[in-house]
Amino acid sequence: MSFRPAITSFALVSAAIALACGSEDVLKDDVTASTRQPLRDPRFEMPQNGLHPDAAKVNVALLSALKTTTLSDAGISAILNQQSFADLFYTGTVTAAENLMAEIVSCALDSTQSVLPDGYGIAWRGNFHLCPSWSDTLPTSDCLELVSACVLARMNALGRQVPISIHVPGDHEPSPKVRTRSDLRDKTRIRSVDRCPLPMAGVPDTCNWRPHFVGICEQGTQVTLQRNAWVSVRVCDGIHACELGQADLGFPGSPPYAGFVDQFTWGDTPITFACPDDEGAHPRGQPHHRYFSVMVGKFPYGSVEDDDIVGSGANVTYPANEQQVFTYPEGSFYGDIFTGSSDDLGYVCHSDIWRTGGTYVTDRLCANPNDLESCDAIGGRAACLDVCGAGLSAPPEETYRNCEGGGRAWNGVTVFLNDHRDLSRDPASSAIVCTPHDECTPGAALPDGCSSVVTSVCAADPYCCNTEWDGLCVSEVQSVANNLMCRIGSCSHALCTEGDALTSSCDVPPLTSSGCVKLICNEDPYCCSTGWDKTCVSEVESVCGKTCD
């Protein structure tokens, strides 16, 4: 009997936000985040997700108790005086309650508010300003829904810490500048941003650096930035800070997202460097642009002003704003995690940019995608699909409307990503749809950059992006881009798509001497006898040497 073993779930530890609990934490700038709070002070870092999907289910009793008290030192201390609740904290597991509390406080309160329970020594700090009155009064139902949606949007089954942009209907004010991140997506901290342990003259390479902002440049061009203060400058790839000489970093099977570009010694003259020329993230629809981030070394160690570094020239945007840095609409999140039940805590819908949106949502939220029961906390996926299908509202909010599910309407938040490949397990799940049609359908010319396949085809055959995406362009998806996303021969579905088992004779004309389907089925008979699952799709690359993204 054929079977497929379950995929091991990814472990994830989401650290609580600490206030004044050590020299490194004291040095961090105060942060705010873009939701309801105007960003008059741009010293902030974007929100991120990194909460294990089971965190809410494990702590349902605590969540129920929270809605009957205030998010204050006294209110949370009273709850933790009950042993049954105290036992949920610091268990050494990814679902320990302190991780969940950090997200709740971060979503509900603003950057001037924090919660420090008696005897804990670690405070949770507010950021997103969705329900700041919860510090003094009991939360309203609207408040609980928005905070719930924010927490659900922070869930990440991959064990990564991914920056996101959270939009709230009617109240979203995009950030005018995006701060360079001081932590990597595997939760590693860039040590250069910490203060040197001993007083030093000048700025060493390993400490006393401060994150500045993120910029955008065009590949193959020289970028010039003006220094308006006497500073050292380090330039990094992507939106993260970096160490001197750091190699490009990425996850297995994914392009790099961070790395060292260049460094400039103390001075106040302009600096010039080459725009990163790699396969990293780019703004949606702009495949020939890349992100870079800036760090500033200033002596004596202290505050860094916004205008210490400014952009110059037609090919650079510095600093870039939130809408320029986070361009991929992921979807929308809804629900109420404070009901006291572990069933159907939330609803979610995916945007229409995904080729396989259902698979994408599963990768994002399910600790074990082969065990559907692991997704029970997000039970209403189908109920809200019409919301995202209706499209985004007009800028600057760019949000999906309220969700109708479970007999009521839910307030929600909409999430945008910096890179569409951040939150999926395989290329097929993260692949985005081109408009006005996909690459496998003849029709109007496709915009260069809507996918890596289109970029490859149009580089070899500009007609496909300038005039028409005809049958030849479709065939070049395979012959030029080396990609099997389109159905071939008599196959019932594309080799890059899960579905029924395929026969070894369906791939005509053959892609190799014996055909890709035949090669895979010789290696893995399950794919031709039972079903063409994720493993079969992955073997398009590992066995046939072709791609699916």
Side-chain angles (χ1 to χ4, degrees):
M1 180 177 65
S2 298
F3 69 97
R4 188 66 87 204
I7 298 174
T8 304
S9 62
F10 287 79
L12 171 62
V13 177
S14 179
I17 298 175
L19 286 181
C21 60
S23 60
E24 295 172 5
D25 296 306
V26 173
L27 299 174
K28 283 189 175 182
D29 285 331
D30 288 340
V31 296
T32 58
S34 58
T35 49
R36 296 190 170 204
Q37 184 169 333
L39 297 175
R40 298 181 181 91
D41 182 354
R43 294 177 300 167
F44 65 93
E45 288 189 351
M46 297 300 299
Q48 62 196 30
N49 61 44
L51 183 66
H52 194 278
D54 290 340
K57 294 173 63 176
V58 170
N59 295 288
V60 290
L62 172 65
L63 290 167
S64 181
L66 288 176
K67 69 181 180 181
T68 62
T69 190
T70 58
L71 286 183
S72 62
D73 296 353
I76 303 303
S77 294
I79 287 180
L80 295 181
N81 282 335
Q82 302 178 52
Q83 192 62 45
S84 60
F85 291 134
D87 289 343
L88 299 174
F89 287 76
Y90 300 101
T91 61
T93 66
V94 293
T95 57
E98 68 273 10
N99 303 321
L100 180 60
M101 282 299 305
E103 308 294 9
I104 292 172
V105 174
S106 176
C107 289
L109 306 185
D110 66 35
S111 60
T112 68
Q113 300 171 300
S114 62
V115 177
L116 179 59
D118 291 342
Y120 270 70
I122 294 180
W124 300 299
R125 181 169 58 187
N127 267 350
F128 303 154
H129 203 264
L130 293 178
C131 187
S133 62
W134 197 349
S135 64
D136 301 309
T137 61
L138 297 184
T140 64
S141 59
D142 283 349
C143 170
L144 292 174
E145 288 180 17
L146 281 176
V147 173
S148 295
C150 178
V151 172
L152 293 171
R154 307 293 287 276
M155 291 182 177
N156 179 343
L158 297 184
R160 301 176 186 173
Q161 183 170 280
V162 174
I164 57 178
S165 171
I166 297 178
H167 298 214
V168 178
D171 291 304
H172 179 72
E173 182 174 335
S175 310
K177 302 177 180 68
V178 174
R179 175 71 66 182
T180 297
R181 295 204 61 84
S182 56
D183 298 311
L184 298 176
R185 297 185 187 183
D186 64 358
K187 303 173 205 66
T188 300
R189 180 170 172 80
I190 296 299
R191 308 309 300 185
S192 295
V193 303
D194 295 332
R195 184 178 299 196
C196 296
L198 298 173
M200 295 186 181
V203 181
D205 292 332
T206 56
C207 50
N208 274 11
W209 290 80
R210 307 301 294 269
H212 209 240
F213 298 116
V214 173
I216 302 172
C217 56
E218 184 177 350
Q219 286 181 295
T221 64
Q222 292 295 302
V223 179
T224 298
L225 301 180
Q226 176 64 52
R227 289 190 280 194
N228 294 330
W230 194 271
V231 293
S232 298
V233 177
R234 181 180 298 171
V235 181
C236 308
D237 196 358
I239 66 174
H240 295 262
C242 62
E243 308 290 3
L244 179 67
Q246 175 182 295
D248 289 345
L249 298 174
F251 294 101
S254 299
Y257 67 86
F260 173 79
V261 174
D262 211 336
Q263 183 163 308
F264 303 87
T265 57
W266 245 8
D268 60 359
T269 58
I271 62 172
T272 300
F273 58 91
C275 181
D277 187 12
D278 54 23
E279 294 301 319
H282 59 80
R284 189 180 179 199
Q286 300 181 59
H288 305 299
H289 289 73
R290 291 293 181 267
Y291 296 105
F292 65 90
S293 52
V294 172
M295 303 168 67
V296 175
K298 200 168 186 178
F299 181 80
Y301 187 82
S303 63
V304 174
E305 303 300 327
D306 293 354
D307 62 355
D308 281 351
I309 307 290
V310 296
S312 174
N315 297 322
V316 60
T317 300
Y318 186 84
N321 65 40
E322 178 184 346
Q323 289 178 304
Q324 295 169 318
V325 175
F326 295 86
T327 61
Y328 297 91
E330 179 191 11
S332 203
F333 297 80
Y334 313 86
D336 185 354
I337 64 175
F338 301 97
T339 61
S341 169
S342 61
D343 296 327
D344 295 345
L345 295 175
Y347 298 84
V348 62
C349 66
H350 56 78
S351 76
D352 60 1
I353 72 169
W354 307 109
R355 293 188 188 281
T356 56
T359 302
Y360 174 86
V361 170
T362 299
D363 285 349
R364 166 82 143 91
L365 293 171
C366 299
N368 185 346
N370 280 3
D371 177 9
L372 294 181
E373 292 185 0
S374 72
C375 300
D376 281 350
I378 310 294
R381 284 183 285 170
C384 296
L385 289 180
D386 61 322
V387 174
C388 287
L392 288 163
S393 64
E397 295 91 17
E398 290 190 303
T399 59
Y400 294 109
R401 59 187 173 86
N402 288 347
C403 163
E404 298 287 339
R408 58 179 290 189
W410 299 88
N411 295 296
V413 301
T414 298
V415 174
F416 283 72
L417 301 175
N418 167 253
D419 189 339
H420 62 90
R421 299 161 295 194
D422 277 338
L423 287 167
S424 59
R425 299 173 195 271
D426 59 70
S429 297
S430 64
I432 60 175
V433 175
C434 289
T435 55
H437 54 83
D438 64 34
E439 298 93 327
C440 301
T441 304
L446 289 177
D448 186 5
C450 65
S451 75
S452 59
V453 167
V454 172
T455 298
S456 296
V457 170
C458 290
D461 187 354
Y463 181 92
C464 301
C465 285
N466 297 334
T467 307
E468 180 187 8
W469 190 270
D470 59 12
L472 179 59
C473 303
V474 173
S475 69
E476 289 170 340
V477 170
Q478 171 189 320
S479 62
V480 173
N482 202 39
N483 190 288
L484 295 184
M485 65 168 57
C486 302
R487 188 173 67 86
I488 58 175
S490 61
C491 295
S492 60
H493 57 81
L495 278 64
C496 294
T497 304
E498 294 180 61
D500 296 334
L502 295 177
T503 64
S504 60
S505 61
C506 78
D507 50 351
V508 178
L511 299 176
T512 67
S513 58
S514 57
C516 184
V517 175
K518 186 173 183 179
L519 286 174
I520 289 175
C521 291
N522 287 342
E523 183 83 14
D524 187 354
Y526 180 97
C527 302
C528 283
S529 63
T530 305
W532 195 270
D533 63 5
K534 280 187 176 183
T535 301
C536 306
V537 171
S538 70
E539 289 167 345
V540 168
E541 178 175 356
S542 62
V543 174
C544 300
K546 306 296 180 179
T547 63
C548 282
D549 56 329

